[in-house]
Short mmCIF file of all heavy atoms in Angstrom, two decimals:
data_model
loop_
_atom_site.label_atom_id
_atom_site.label_comp_id
_atom_site.label_asym_id
_atom_site.label_seq_id
_atom_site.Cartn_x
_atom_site.Cartn_y
_atom_site.Cartn_z
N SER F 301 -12.98 -55.32 -25.67
CA SER F 301 -12.02 -55.40 -26.85
C SER F 301 -11.02 -56.65 -26.59
O SER F 301 -10.31 -56.99 -27.47
CB SER F 301 -11.24 -54.16 -27.12
OG SER F 301 -10.46 -53.89 -25.95
N GLN F 302 -11.12 -57.25 -25.45
CA GLN F 302 -10.11 -58.22 -25.10
C GLN F 302 -10.71 -59.70 -24.96
O GLN F 302 -10.22 -60.54 -24.28
CB GLN F 302 -9.41 -57.98 -23.84
CG GLN F 302 -8.64 -56.56 -23.97
CD GLN F 302 -8.06 -55.91 -22.77
OE1 GLN F 302 -8.00 -56.74 -21.57
NE2 GLN F 302 -7.65 -54.83 -22.77
N THR F 303 -11.85 -59.78 -25.77
CA THR F 303 -12.46 -61.28 -25.79
C THR F 303 -11.41 -61.94 -26.80
O THR F 303 -10.72 -61.28 -27.62
CB THR F 303 -13.87 -61.24 -26.45
OG1 THR F 303 -13.71 -60.67 -27.74
CG2 THR F 303 -14.84 -60.44 -25.46
N THR F 304 -11.34 -63.35 -26.79
CA THR F 304 -10.54 -64.02 -27.65
C THR F 304 -10.86 -63.70 -29.11
O THR F 304 -9.92 -63.53 -30.00
CB THR F 304 -10.62 -65.45 -27.54
OG1 THR F 304 -11.95 -65.90 -27.42
CG2 THR F 304 -9.97 -65.92 -26.22
N MET F 305 -12.12 -63.60 -29.49
CA MET F 305 -12.54 -63.27 -30.81
C MET F 305 -12.01 -61.87 -31.30
O MET F 305 -11.47 -61.69 -32.40
CB MET F 305 -14.09 -63.31 -31.06
CG MET F 305 -14.54 -64.71 -31.18
SD MET F 305 -16.31 -64.87 -31.54
CE MET F 305 -16.42 -64.40 -33.34
N ASN F 306 -12.12 -60.91 -30.42
CA ASN F 306 -11.65 -59.58 -30.64
C ASN F 306 -10.18 -59.38 -30.74
O ASN F 306 -9.60 -58.89 -31.62
CB ASN F 306 -12.18 -58.61 -29.53
CG ASN F 306 -13.60 -58.12 -29.98
OD1 ASN F 306 -14.12 -58.31 -31.09
ND2 ASN F 306 -14.24 -57.44 -28.96
N LEU F 307 -9.51 -60.24 -30.00
CA LEU F 307 -8.11 -60.24 -30.05
C LEU F 307 -7.67 -60.76 -31.43
O LEU F 307 -6.69 -60.33 -32.05
CB LEU F 307 -7.45 -61.16 -29.02
CG LEU F 307 -7.47 -60.57 -27.49
CD1 LEU F 307 -7.00 -61.56 -26.57
CD2 LEU F 307 -6.88 -59.11 -27.40
N ARG F 308 -8.34 -61.66 -32.03
CA ARG F 308 -8.00 -62.17 -33.37
C ARG F 308 -8.27 -61.13 -34.25
O ARG F 308 -7.48 -60.92 -35.26
CB ARG F 308 -8.78 -63.43 -33.70
CG ARG F 308 -8.53 -63.97 -35.04
CD ARG F 308 -9.24 -65.27 -35.41
NE ARG F 308 -8.83 -65.54 -36.77
CZ ARG F 308 -9.77 -65.83 -37.65
NH1 ARG F 308 -10.99 -65.92 -37.37
NH2 ARG F 308 -9.52 -66.08 -38.91
N ALA F 309 -9.45 -60.39 -34.16
CA ALA F 309 -9.77 -59.38 -35.13
C ALA F 309 -8.67 -58.18 -35.04
O ALA F 309 -8.61 -57.56 -36.12
CB ALA F 309 -11.21 -58.79 -34.94
N ILE F 310 -8.21 -58.08 -34.03
CA ILE F 310 -7.14 -56.91 -33.81
C ILE F 310 -5.88 -57.47 -34.52
O ILE F 310 -5.18 -56.69 -35.15
CB ILE F 310 -6.95 -56.58 -32.30
CG1 ILE F 310 -8.17 -55.97 -31.62
CG2 ILE F 310 -5.70 -55.81 -32.15
CD1 ILE F 310 -8.04 -55.84 -30.17
N ASN F 311 -5.55 -58.73 -34.21
CA ASN F 311 -4.23 -59.17 -34.59
C ASN F 311 -4.05 -59.17 -36.12
O ASN F 311 -2.89 -59.11 -36.54
CB ASN F 311 -4.02 -60.69 -34.13
CG ASN F 311 -3.14 -60.65 -32.91
OD1 ASN F 311 -3.19 -59.87 -32.05
ND2 ASN F 311 -2.27 -61.66 -32.91
N THR F 312 -5.08 -59.33 -36.96
CA THR F 312 -4.93 -59.49 -38.28
C THR F 312 -4.35 -58.14 -38.98
O THR F 312 -4.03 -58.19 -40.04
CB THR F 312 -6.24 -59.94 -39.04
OG1 THR F 312 -7.16 -58.95 -38.79
CG2 THR F 312 -6.61 -61.35 -38.58
N ALA F 313 -4.27 -57.09 -38.19
CA ALA F 313 -3.82 -55.91 -38.70
C ALA F 313 -2.26 -55.90 -38.94
O ALA F 313 -1.64 -55.27 -39.74
CB ALA F 313 -4.07 -54.65 -37.87
N VAL F 314 -1.55 -56.87 -38.15
CA VAL F 314 -0.17 -57.03 -38.31
C VAL F 314 0.18 -58.43 -38.25
O VAL F 314 -0.12 -59.11 -37.29
CB VAL F 314 0.66 -56.24 -37.16
CG1 VAL F 314 2.09 -56.63 -37.14
CG2 VAL F 314 0.49 -54.73 -37.27
N CYS F 315 0.78 -58.94 -39.33
CA CYS F 315 1.03 -60.36 -39.38
C CYS F 315 2.43 -60.77 -39.36
O CYS F 315 2.78 -61.93 -39.22
CB CYS F 315 0.22 -61.00 -40.62
SG CYS F 315 -1.46 -60.84 -40.52
N ASP F 316 3.40 -59.88 -39.55
CA ASP F 316 4.74 -60.20 -39.62
C ASP F 316 5.55 -60.00 -38.36
O ASP F 316 6.71 -60.02 -38.38
CB ASP F 316 5.38 -59.60 -40.85
CG ASP F 316 5.25 -58.06 -40.86
OD1 ASP F 316 4.52 -57.51 -39.94
OD2 ASP F 316 5.92 -57.38 -41.55
N PHE F 317 4.93 -59.55 -37.31
CA PHE F 317 5.53 -59.43 -35.98
C PHE F 317 4.76 -60.08 -35.00
O PHE F 317 3.58 -59.98 -34.99
CB PHE F 317 5.71 -57.93 -35.53
CG PHE F 317 6.78 -57.19 -36.10
CD1 PHE F 317 6.67 -56.59 -37.41
CD2 PHE F 317 8.02 -57.05 -35.70
CE1 PHE F 317 7.69 -55.96 -38.06
CE2 PHE F 317 9.16 -56.39 -36.20
CZ PHE F 317 8.79 -55.83 -37.49
#
Side-chain angles (χ1 to χ4, degrees):
S301 60
Q302 298 173 12
T303 61
T304 50
M305 280 182 80
N306 279 348
L307 290 178
R308 178 170 176 236
I310 291 168
N311 259 41
T312 57
V314 169
C315 297
D316 55 353
F317 279 84

